[in-house]
Amino acid sequence: MERRGEDARGVELRSDRAHGARIYDYILGGKDNFAVDREAGESSLRIWPALRVHMQANRSFMHRVARFLAIECGIRQFLDIGTGLPTSPNLHEVVQSVDPTARVVYTDNDPLVLVHAQALMVGTEQGHTAYVSADMRDPRSIISAPEFRQTLDLKQPVGLLLIAIVHFIEDDAEARQVVRQVLDVLPAGSYLAMSIATDEFDPVPLAEVQREYNRLGETLVFRDRATALGFFDGLDLVEPGLVQVHKWRPDGSETPGIADKDIAMYGAVARKPI
């Protein structure tokens, strides 16, 4: 799919550099990407053929997390930071299938996601979905947005999802601070769900993938297990703790027979203590 530099509403689409959400979209078979994203996707797949399996496993992790929070934890409102391009089922489709009154706020800074925001905001009549155009590096722009304040009741627990997103922040301290600033606003009893990129299971090809992302203008940072655990300091980890995403509460919906070396993402869910 080729687009001009701006869409019909004058939104700058930044088609001259790769973007993680659009690379993800391309590898998963989507059409909302540019030539530079396809180049990054294809070259990365040549280097590490497991990339598509890895991304599918991460998506499946998000679905299982959403069902767990909605069914087992009774969470009825969600904040998804770095939501990316619409790939059904989206978060609101999963949680509103459990309870049609569930409320979801999506956030992203990619102008192409903004163009598709209306697709994300089609939920049930009983529930509500909203979209905040904001950069996760500026948490205040998220938590001060009218859409955030009007959609979520901060007297009730919230499910905060950061799925495959913090690897776009290079500095560890900055990444932790971003997560903490949002979590601090949420009430006790809220949950944090994250997937965090790691190269601990197949480091050689992943180093090449990282260089390719960087060459085409996108940041990609891998973190070891100890660093990944640091995001959950002060929270109560839900069993089985921090594991590769395909090992987090498998329910039969994930692709069978996945090799550990083919998954470059840790995942965990934790509760903010009361």
Side-chain angles (χ1 to χ4, degrees):
M1 176 198 69
E2 297 297 337
R3 296 177 184 267
R4 296 174 298 172
E6 295 185 353
D7 86 324
R9 287 161 285 185
V11 177
E12 175 54 53
L13 297 179
R14 287 167 30 195
S15 59
D16 59 334
R17 58 181 296 174
H19 190 284
R22 301 193 303 260
I23 298 169
Y24 189 87
D25 173 77
Y26 171 69
I27 290 175
L28 290 182
K31 301 182 183 301
D32 295 306
N33 45 74
F34 301 115
V36 67
D37 307 306
R38 296 192 287 277
E39 180 185 351
E42 286 297 331
S43 59
S44 297
L45 282 166
R46 285 193 295 272
I47 296 165
W48 194 50
L51 184 57
R52 181 170 285 113
V53 171
H54 157 82
M55 288 186 171
Q56 290 169 339
N58 182 69
R59 189 74 183 172
S60 178
F61 168 74
M62 186 276 284
H63 294 156
R64 296 197 306 279
V65 163
R67 287 193 293 268
F68 168 77
L69 292 176
I71 296 171
E72 298 191 38
C73 304
I75 299 297
R76 293 296 179 265
Q77 45 184 9
F78 299 82
L79 173 61
D80 183 5
I81 296 179
T83 188
L85 291 157
T87 305
S88 188
N90 292 292
L91 174 62
H92 71 273
E93 294 172 303
V94 176
V95 299
Q96 289 178 353
S97 70
V98 175
D99 185 339
T101 68
R103 305 169 74 83
V104 178
V105 174
Y106 292 108
T107 77
D108 205 287
N109 72 332
D110 184 356
L112 190 55
V113 176
L114 177 60
V115 170
H116 288 274
Q118 290 301 320
L120 286 174
M121 291 193 288
V122 178
T124 62
E125 292 182 5
Q126 304 98 313
H128 187 70
T129 60
Y131 178 83
V132 176
S133 180
D135 193 321
M136 67 174 171
R137 294 176 181 85
D138 181 14
R140 293 182 188 86
S141 66
I142 298 173
I143 60 183
S144 65
E147 297 89 347
F148 173 85
R149 295 286 176 171
Q150 293 166 8
T151 304
L152 303 182
D153 176 4
L154 296 183
K155 296 178 182 178
Q156 301 296 324
V158 174
L160 170 60
L161 279 71
L162 292 104
I163 305 299
I165 190 68
V166 293
H167 55 259
F168 298 127
I169 301 179
E170 188 168 2
D171 182 74
D172 289 343
E174 181 187 3
R176 287 194 299 270
Q177 181 64 19
V178 163
V179 177
R180 189 58 53 177
Q181 281 186 263
V182 179
L183 194 60
D184 284 348
V185 174
L186 304 183
S190 293
Y191 286 82
L192 169 65
M194 295 182 67
S195 60
I196 302 161
T198 183
D199 62 353
E200 292 194 305
F201 299 93
D202 202 8
V204 175
L206 288 170
E208 293 186 51
V209 170
Q210 183 181 48
R211 285 192 290 271
E212 186 63 15
Y213 267 58
N214 296 163
R215 182 182 73 83
L216 293 168
E218 182 58 282
T219 300
L220 176 58
V221 177
F222 295 112
R223 294 182 163 96
D224 61 23
R225 190 174 190 278
T227 305
L229 272 173
F231 286 101
F232 301 93
D233 285 349
L235 306 177
D236 298 326
L237 279 167
V238 171
E239 288 294 333
L242 183 77
V243 295
Q244 286 177 282
V245 290
H246 66 301
K247 295 181 176 181
W248 194 89
R249 295 183 175 237
D251 61 5
S253 64
E254 61 283 341
T255 302
I258 297 175
D260 289 356
K261 69 180 181 62
D262 292 342
I263 303 298
M265 201 77 76
Y266 281 120
V269 176
R271 186 171 184 260
K272 184 175 180 178
I274 294 177

